Structures are given as structure tokens and as C-alpha cells.
Amino acid sequence: MSTHPGASLPAGASAQDRVREGAYRKVTLHLIPFIFICYLFNYLDRVNVGFAKLQMLDALQWSESVYGLGAGIFFIGYVASGVPSNLLLHRLGARKVIGTLMIAWGIASACLMFVTTPAAFYSLRFITGVFEAGFFPGIVLYFTNWYPASRRGRIMGLFMSAIPISGLLGSPLSGWMMQSFAGHGGLAGWQWMFLMQGIPTVLLGLLVYVLLNDGIAQAKWLNAEEKQLLRADLDEDERQRRNGANTADTFASVLRNKHVWMLGLVYFCIQMGVYAINFWLPTIVKSLGFASPVAVGWVSAIPYLCASIFMIWVGRSADRHKERRWHLSGPLLMALCGLLLATQAHGNVVVALVGLSLATMGALSGLPMFWPLPTAFLGSAAAAGGLALINSLGQVAGFVSPFLVGWIKDATGGTDVALYILSAVLLLGAILVLRVPARIVNR
């Protein structure tokens, strides 16, 4: 039987196998497109300050360090609220919690248009982080209610391709908004961008209440046989986890599990590279000689286009080979090489774009390749707190990375030193991945 939702079945497959694959196709088509759009705006609302920076700093007379701290302080709120938000989701269900959180962070993100002081900027970024904290780990947990471990590589690749696509679409869109709406209604271009990207998130949050089901039992679009087969797959997946020597079944056992903490450090290393790219790519592209926001947007889209294709391919390969560690460490090493190449470009636009594209492909593909690792050994009772803990540990990088790059840029006048440090961090992540025993994650 194929391990891919919607994939072609081998000749001689049983009628039950055909029903099962049809059920997974239904689940994927019903859940993934909508959740993908939600995550696209989740990520866009998180990192659009990277584009706002192109006008915001001059307009408000702020330094690079002020921007770096404001970009990063989001993640203090995020880390503080990650575990409580996911435990609440486990208790109340995805539909209520995710819908409410999306409405709240959409409003907070749109309100960034009103900031005039660093204190207001820091406060709103912190509040936005608090509300966004439950979304991503909540969705990872939500997928464990629908897909067994053997299918999650491709699903996470499809879901998390929203990150590069948010850059692919969001970079030109942000540049266009900032240039085309500047001065309308007495507002600057960056103010219009925050408003026009925050409102859709509120509307999507309202749709969550209508379109999402909390689990298989509530899905009226599945028939009784399909529900039974999907439930059987999840029960078998849980049985396999319980038979593993390193399975964590309670949140207390999560806190004692060394692999959880190691994976938290790995995720920190991945996110150091990801957030450096997301927050500073427009600035690096501008330094190559592209002056207008629209030009910066279109050029910034190139690395994200490459990453969106590569990410889906890696996810399919990981599921097909049932191998997780090398499919994660390989992209991290690619990102390392890309960052080093970008530092050697010396103003050469082609070399810089090749390096930035490799870095974006590798770092962003590391995200979906990471999450099948912890879900392969976290028991269902521990998943809510465990996934949120790992995500929170990794998201510390969201504060450290932009602040570090901003501080180094103020101190040295360039980003090369910061890129060297980030390359070393990615190398550490690749090494740590290979220290996780294959037997507990290769499913």
C-alpha cells in the first residue's frame, strides 16, 4: 500500500486499500488548502516587518537595533504562550482555539500601522506573538488526529510550503502595497501594508469556526467505513509509539526525555537560519542595488520560489524512503553553503542570489523535515505539551536571530559576520540531527 495520500495504488490492491487512499485524499483536499492559506497569512503577519523596515526606520527615525529588537520581541511572547496555548487547544479543540487566536493576532498585526514609538512597536509585537503562539504547534498536533507518522512528511511539506510561498507572493505584494498606497488617506505605504495584511487574517479566523472539524469523528464528509479505516491507522500508529523504548507518554516524561531537549536545540538552529532570511532578505537584496520596494519584492521572491519547489520534493522523498535524519541534515548543510556563498558575492548579483536561494531552500525545507521526528515518538497524551515545548525552544531563535543580525550590522556596517555565525549554528544543527537514533524517528 502506498504511504502517500492520494498516490496511485499498486496493481492488485485490495478494495479496502482503495477506500483508505480515497479517505486520505478527502482529508487532504478538505484540510490542507484552507490550513495552507491560514498559515500563509500567519507567516506573513509574523515577518512583514522585514518589508515595513524599508520605509519605517527612516519615517520614524529608528536604528537597526530598534528594528531588530522589535522584530525579535515577538518571540518572547510566542515562547511564553506556546505550551499553555497548545494545552488549551488539546482541551477545547482546534476549531475554537485556532479561530479565536487568528482573529486576535490579525487585529494586533493590523494595529502596527499606528505605532510611532519603539515602546508601542515592542508592545504590539509582543502581543502578536502571544496570540500566534498556539497556531503552528496546534496545527502540528491537529495533523496527528488525521494522519499516521508514515504520511506526515509529505503533509508537513505541503503545509509548510506556505512559508516560501508567503515570501514568493508576499514579497512582491508587500512591495507593491508600500509603493502604490503611499500617501493615500494620509497613511504611509508601510501603514497600508500592515492594515491590508491583517484584515484577511481576521476573516480567515471566522472561517475556521465553519470549515474545520476537531477530528475524524466530527467529519460529516467521511463515511462510516472511511472513518473506521482512518481511526484504525491512528490506533496502530499509537501502538507502535508505545512499543518504542523512547516513547514519551506524559508531559512529565517529555521533560525527562533527552531527545526532546536535543530536538528543541536542533529546531533552534534551524530557526536561526530561517528568521535571518525572512527578516533580512529584503535588506540584503536592497544592498545589491535594487532601490524601489517593487524591485526588492520581485527579486526577493526568487529564493522563495526555489524553496517552495524543493520543500515539497524533499517531503515526498522522506516519506518514500522512510528516512528522516538525512532528509533534515542535508538541507541544513545546503543552507550553510548558501550563506557562505552569499558572503563571498562582493556585490555580484548572480552569485548573491544563488547563495541566498540555496540558503532559503535549505533552511526552509528543514522546517517540514523536522516535525515528523518528534511526532514519531511522542505519545498522544504527551504530544500537546511536547510539541509546544519543542516549538517554543526553537522560537527563541526568532528573538536571537534578528537582534543579533541587527546589532552586528550596526556595529560593523554589514551582515557578513552575522552570516558566518549563522552558518556555524546550522552546522551544529545538522550534526545534532544525526545523533538522534534512527530507530525512533524513521517511520
Side-chain angles (χ1 to χ4, degrees):
M1 185 184 70
S2 170
T3 61
H4 302 295
S8 299
L9 286 166
S14 68
Q16 188 179 76
D17 287 344
R18 295 184 185 281
V19 173
R20 175 181 279 108
E21 290 303 323
Y24 280 115
R25 275 194 296 271
K26 281 187 181 180
V27 171
T28 300
L29 289 172
H30 191 90
L31 299 182
I32 299 302
F34 177 67
I35 293 176
F36 174 92
I37 293 171
C38 291
Y39 191 42
L40 191 152
F41 278 94
N42 171 260
Y43 216 79
L44 197 58
D45 285 345
R46 187 183 310 180
V47 302
N48 57 10
V49 291
F51 255 92
K53 170 183 179 291
L54 300 178
Q55 295 178 350
M56 197 177 183
L57 264 62
D58 289 338
L60 301 177
Q61 298 296 301
W62 292 350
S63 69
E64 298 281 353
S65 296
V66 167
Y67 163 74
L69 180 58
I73 206 167
F74 167 99
F75 296 94
I76 296 178
Y78 193 106
V79 169
S81 301
V83 173
S85 293
N86 228 34
L87 293 175
L88 187 65
L89 184 145
H90 184 64
R91 182 182 180 90
L92 299 180
R95 188 171 57 88
K96 293 179 180 178
V97 174
I98 289 177
T100 303
L101 291 176
M102 290 188 69
I103 293 168
W105 95 60
I107 293 171
S109 182
C111 285
L112 282 166
M113 65 183 289
F114 298 117
V115 300
T116 57
T117 65
F121 182 47
Y122 300 155
S123 298
L124 275 173
R125 286 288 291 173
F126 177 85
I127 291 169
T128 307
V130 168
F131 290 134
E132 285 198 30
F135 180 81
F136 177 77
I139 293 296
V140 175
L141 176 65
Y142 184 63
F143 284 152
T144 66
N145 294 334
W146 297 91
Y147 298 99
S150 61
R151 296 176 182 262
R152 287 184 205 136
R154 185 186 183 196
I155 291 303
M156 289 301 298
L158 288 171
F159 164 56
M160 297 191 73
S161 64
I163 297 177
I165 290 177
S166 72
L168 175 64
L169 301 178
S171 295
L173 180 65
S174 297
W176 174 77
M177 287 177 176
M178 289 170 60
Q179 183 164 305
S180 300
F181 287 86
H184 285 56
L187 299 176
W190 61 270
Q191 292 175 302
W192 277 110
M193 185 194 68
F194 281 130
L195 177 63
M196 296 172 73
Q197 293 180 5
I199 290 174
T201 301
V202 176
L203 299 177
L204 287 168
L206 294 171
L207 284 176
V208 166
Y209 288 100
V210 178
L211 298 180
L212 285 192
N213 303 110
D214 286 327
I216 294 170
Q218 292 78 36
K220 295 180 181 179
W221 37 272
L222 292 171
N223 62 42
E225 183 182 8
E226 289 169 335
K227 290 181 180 180
Q228 183 179 6
L229 290 172
L230 297 183
R231 186 69 258 169
D233 285 354
L234 293 180
D235 291 342
E236 173 61 19
D237 194 56
E238 179 68 11
R239 186 191 65 79
Q240 291 183 22
R241 273 200 300 263
R242 289 184 178 279
N243 289 340
N246 293 283
T247 297
D249 287 317
T250 65
F251 189 58
S253 66
V254 165
L255 296 176
R256 296 192 300 268
N257 191 301
K258 65 179 181 180
H259 299 303
V260 169
W261 293 99
M262 183 181 292
L263 288 175
L265 180 56
V266 169
Y267 198 51
F268 172 86
C269 294
I270 297 170
Q271 292 286 29
M272 282 289 287
V274 167
Y275 284 117
I277 292 167
N278 286 330
F279 285 123
W280 291 95
L281 181 60
T283 300
I284 295 172
V285 169
K286 185 178 180 180
S287 72
L288 296 174
F290 298 94
S292 76
V294 172
V296 171
W298 282 110
V299 174
S300 298
I302 295 173
Y304 289 115
L305 173 62
C306 298
S308 62
I309 297 169
F310 184 70
M311 180 181 287
I312 294 173
W313 177 84
V314 172
R316 291 181 174 180
S317 176
D319 277 357
R320 183 169 62 251
H321 294 94
K322 293 188 177 181
E323 198 288 322
R324 304 297 177 188
R325 299 185 307 159
W326 283 105
H327 280 84
L328 173 54
S329 60
L332 295 185
L333 294 175
M334 177 190 292
L336 181 158
C337 294
L339 289 179
L340 293 178
L341 182 62
T343 63
Q344 301 303 311
H346 304 302
N348 186 309
V349 174
V350 174
V351 173
L353 279 179
V354 170
L356 290 171
S357 295
L358 288 173
T360 306
M361 291 165 65
L364 267 63
S365 295
L367 295 174
M369 291 303 94
F370 172 82
W371 284 105
L373 273 66
T375 58
F377 70 90
L378 286 173
S380 58
L387 295 176
L389 175 63
I390 291 172
N391 186 58
S392 295
L393 292 170
Q395 295 298 343
V396 173
F399 174 78
V400 175
S401 183
F403 181 71
L404 175 69
V405 177
W407 179 75
I408 290 175
K409 192 171 188 298
D410 274 343
T412 66
T415 56
D416 285 1
V417 173
L419 295 182
Y420 285 129
I421 293 173
L422 293 169
S423 297
V425 172
L426 289 168
L427 178 60
L428 173 63
I431 293 171
L432 289 175
V433 169
L434 298 177
R435 291 183 58 84
V436 179
R439 68 181 182 277
I440 71 170
V441 295
N442 284 344
R443 289 201 288 130

